[in-house]
Amino acid sequence: MLSQSNCLLKYLSAGIRNRKKISPSTLSRCRLFSNTIPLQSSTFLHHEWIIDGKVIPGTPSINDKDGIRGLHNGRRTVIFLHGLLGSGKNLRNPAKKLTQSYPDNIAALLLDLRGHGNSNHDPNLRPLQPPHTIHNCAFDIIQTMTTLGLTGENHSPIGCVGHSFGGRCALQYLHTLTMQHKNDNNAVLPPKHTWLLGKR
């Protein structure tokens, strides 16, 4: 995990410094993705924040958007998506390293994808309904960002990091947002950076 953390930090650092953008036209030509909108509405995913290298317990209420925005105090959000059979906690180390390297600029949001971690077991969350597809995983992420108030140019997540299965969800999330062509303060905008983690 340490080598993945260092590698991730290197690429994230370069992307943040250079302000490089991912070309939406690159993804729109890919045949790996579908534009199909899922029939089932998405739900809210269990999550935790990491700021300045520390896990933040007691995240503000999901209905308290000002509290959530105040929590990261103007920092831009980078989403972390875990691999199959894991949870957001699996990516705490690279998230901590990233937020320690950019303490005034970056907050990490670790999600438990559908069927994983506390998103599957938390009694306070609405049960996840089938079909359990990559498309619905992406819509779950979008719905969670919307519910947390991470929308518009100033609050939408600036980056998305995915490991293995989480990487596939990250690509679908990026593709779905790119195809929606929304550009207002109530919409989640595509991340400017997307990184996939794998084994070396």
Side-chain angles (χ1 to χ4, degrees):
M1 189 60 143
L2 184 60
S3 62
Q4 285 182 353
S5 298
N6 291 336
C7 185
L8 169 67
L9 185 58
K10 176 182 168 187
Y11 289 110
L12 290 176
S13 299
I16 291 168
R17 278 196 310 272
N18 299 331
R19 302 277 186 215
K20 290 184 179 177
K21 293 185 178 181
I22 293 173
S23 169
S25 62
T26 302
L27 284 178
S28 65
R29 290 190 303 263
C30 294
R31 294 183 181 177
L32 296 172
F33 305 103
S34 168
N35 292 330
T36 308
I37 305 272
L39 298 174
Q40 177 63 37
S41 64
S42 303
T43 190
F44 187 73
L45 298 173
H46 185 271
H47 63 281
E48 65 183 15
W49 288 96
I50 295 185
I51 298 173
D52 295 332
K54 298 179 188 101
V55 177
I56 306 297
T59 301
S61 162
I62 61 171
N63 297 318
D64 182 12
K65 293 180 183 176
D66 291 331
I68 290 166
R69 288 178 177 170
L71 176 71
H72 49 79
N73 195 24
R75 295 172 180 90
R76 297 307 303 263
T77 302
V78 175
I79 304 168
F80 283 78
L81 305 174
H82 60 81
L84 190 64
L85 304 178
S87 72
K89 292 178 182 179
N90 296 130
L91 295 175
R92 278 183 176 174
N93 285 339
K96 285 179 180 180
K97 283 188 173 221
L98 177 65
T99 60
Q100 286 171 334
S101 297
Y102 297 95
D104 297 327
N105 298 324
I106 300 293
L109 179 61
L110 283 64
L111 300 177
D112 288 349
L113 295 168
R114 71 169 38 221
H116 294 79
N118 288 329
S119 288
N120 201 38
H121 302 293
D122 191 333
N124 297 320
L125 299 177
R126 190 176 79 204
L128 296 157
Q129 301 297 316
H132 302 297
T133 64
I134 297 291
H135 305 293
N136 275 346
C137 287
F139 279 93
D140 291 343
I141 299 165
I142 295 168
Q143 182 64 39
T144 301
M145 296 306 106
T146 303
T147 304
L148 290 173
L150 298 174
T151 58
E153 186 67 33
N154 295 325
H155 299 290
S156 289
I158 194 170
C160 187
V161 178
H163 173 251
S164 188
F165 170 70
R168 181 65 178 88
C169 294
L171 291 175
Q172 186 63 49
Y173 168 74
L174 173 63
H175 176 75
T176 301
L177 291 175
T178 303
M179 292 297 105
Q180 287 181 355
H181 302 294
K182 291 183 180 176
N183 194 11
D184 61 50
N185 284 333
N186 295 323
V188 179
L189 302 180
K192 296 184 181 352
H193 313 282
T194 300
W195 299 270
L196 308 180
L197 303 178
K199 290 185 178 180
R200 286 187 357 130

